[in-house]
């Protein structure tokens, strides 16, 4: 009982927010990379979650691309159910996305893509941040957000790199 109390007390000291971030260098101009991020229809070609559930149901709404473009998805336990909406863009350097996860657990986060570069090369940073309620703090002791999605960000960025460099 004392061990459980100690774990819960320790979990309570964890930060109230989390952030996961990965970057990669792509041998392509920012405009070429940006167009693959701001158009949610193009995510099927590079998103790491597409391969986890090829039968995932997707519904697009709002603007065709950029601010206001939205994607609702409903998939297996690996991808869950949720919605993402692009809330702002600064071509060709930034895309901000509101993420609402409904299953397997509810969470409301924000993802940001930052692109920095010149005519022939771009550094892309994919970050996600959001609140970390108490139960997430407890889960963080075993399997933190970085371990849960960090590898997926790396895979997605590698896929994006491969496509943009073609």
């Amino acid at each position: 009982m004392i061990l459980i109390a100690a774990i819960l007390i320790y979990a309570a000291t964890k930060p109230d927010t989390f952030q996961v971030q990965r970057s990669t260098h792509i041998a392509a101009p920012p405009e070429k990379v940006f167009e693959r991020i701001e158009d949610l229809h193009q995510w099927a070609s590079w998103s790491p979650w597409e391969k986890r559930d090829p039968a995932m149901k997707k519904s697009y709404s709002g603007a065709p691309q950029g601010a206001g473009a939205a994607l609702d998805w409903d998939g297996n336990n690996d991808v869950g159910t949720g919605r993402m909406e692009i809330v702002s863009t600064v071509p060709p350097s930034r895309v901000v996305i509101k993420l609402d996860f409904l299953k397997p657990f509810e969470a409301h986060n924000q993802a940001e893509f930052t692109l920095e570069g010149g005519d022939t090369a771009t550094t892309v940073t994919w970050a996600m941040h959001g609140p970390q309620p108490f139960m997430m703090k407890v889960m963080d002791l075993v399997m933190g957000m970085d371990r849960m999605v960090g590898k997926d960000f790396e895979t997605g960025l590698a896929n994006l790199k491969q496509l943009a460099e073609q």
Side-chain angles (χ1 to χ4, degrees):
M1 194 67 158
I2 293 173
L3 178 61
I4 292 171
I7 290 170
L8 295 176
I9 290 169
Y10 178 67
T13 68
K14 302 290 266 176
D16 291 334
T17 60
F18 76 91
Q19 177 158 333
V20 178
Q21 179 175 309
R22 296 293 190 275
S23 296
T24 194
H25 184 77
I26 298 177
E31 294 80 9
K32 188 171 183 182
V33 180
F34 183 84
E35 68 187 24
R36 296 185 185 280
I37 298 169
E38 76 152 345
D39 182 350
L40 298 178
H41 298 89
Q42 291 197 41
W43 281 51
S45 65
W46 62 269
S47 169
W49 294 284
E50 292 288 330
K51 291 181 179 156
R52 289 191 178 175
D53 184 4
M56 176 175 31
K57 295 178 187 131
K58 296 182 282 186
S59 173
Y60 298 93
S61 60
Q65 63 189 39
L71 167 64
D72 292 270
W73 74 90
D74 185 11
N76 63 23
N77 288 337
D78 287 337
V79 299
T81 301
R83 176 182 173 82
M84 58 192 283
E85 180 178 350
I86 297 177
V87 293
S88 70
T89 63
V90 179
S93 60
R94 185 175 165 164
V95 176
V96 179
I97 300 170
K98 178 184 172 194
L99 291 169
D100 294 311
F101 300 98
L102 304 174
K103 291 181 184 175
F105 55 87
E106 187 171 346
H108 305 282
N109 303 319
Q110 183 170 299
E112 295 181 38
F113 289 87
T114 306
L115 295 82
E116 298 174 328
D119 294 337
T120 60
T122 306
T123 298
V124 181
T125 300
W126 185 358
M128 180 173 69
H129 57 89
Q132 184 167 250
F134 182 72
M135 285 311 296
M136 290 299 292
K137 293 178 184 185
V138 173
M139 287 177 50
D140 187 58
L141 299 174
V142 179
M143 178 70 110
M145 286 299 291
D146 195 81
R147 280 187 270 164
M148 285 174 47
V149 298
K151 289 281 187 201
D152 293 324
F153 281 20
E154 291 168 12
T155 299
L157 288 170
N159 294 342
L160 187 59
K161 176 182 175 78
Q162 182 180 15
L163 287 170
E165 290 180 348
Q166 290 179 350

